[in-house]
Amino acid sequence: MKKTFKMKDLECANCASKMECAINKLEGVEATVNFMMQKITIDAPDDRFDDVIKQAAKICRKIEPDCEIVV
C-alpha cells in the first residue's frame, strides 16, 4: 500500500533527509519525504501498514520532536 501524508512542523531539510533514510531502513518500506511540500509518501506491505506508520511517526519525533505525521 502506498499513501501520502501531510507533515506538521517539519522545519529542517536536513532532518527531513535523516527521517527518509531512517524510515527506509525499516524492512520492506520505501519512504520519500518532501520538505518543500511538507509531505511524506510511504510504501509498505498492507498487513503491516498501520504499524509502519506508527514507527515512522516515532522516528520523525526522535529526529525533530515537534514534527508529526498527520494521519
Side-chain angles (χ1 to χ4, degrees), residues 4-68:
T4 301
F5 301 96
K6 184 166 176 45
M7 296 186 80
K8 185 176 178 186
D9 296 328
L10 177 61
E11 298 174 357
C12 171
N14 188 44
C15 294
S17 178
K18 288 179 183 179
M19 290 174 194
E20 184 175 304
C21 289
I23 294 168
N24 280 325
K25 289 180 181 176
L26 298 174
E27 187 179 334
V29 177
E30 189 174 323
T32 305
V33 178
N34 186 323
F35 175 71
M36 294 303 289
M37 299 295 291
Q38 299 281 300
K39 293 188 180 193
I40 183 170
T41 301
I42 298 177
D43 190 359
D46 293 350
D47 59 333
R48 299 188 314 121
F49 197 80
D50 291 336
D51 186 46
V52 168
I53 297 300
K54 288 176 188 172
Q55 289 177 321
K58 189 175 181 179
I59 290 168
C60 291
R61 278 193 306 275
K62 186 175 183 180
I63 294 170
E64 195 168 312
D66 293 334
C67 182
E68 66 181 83

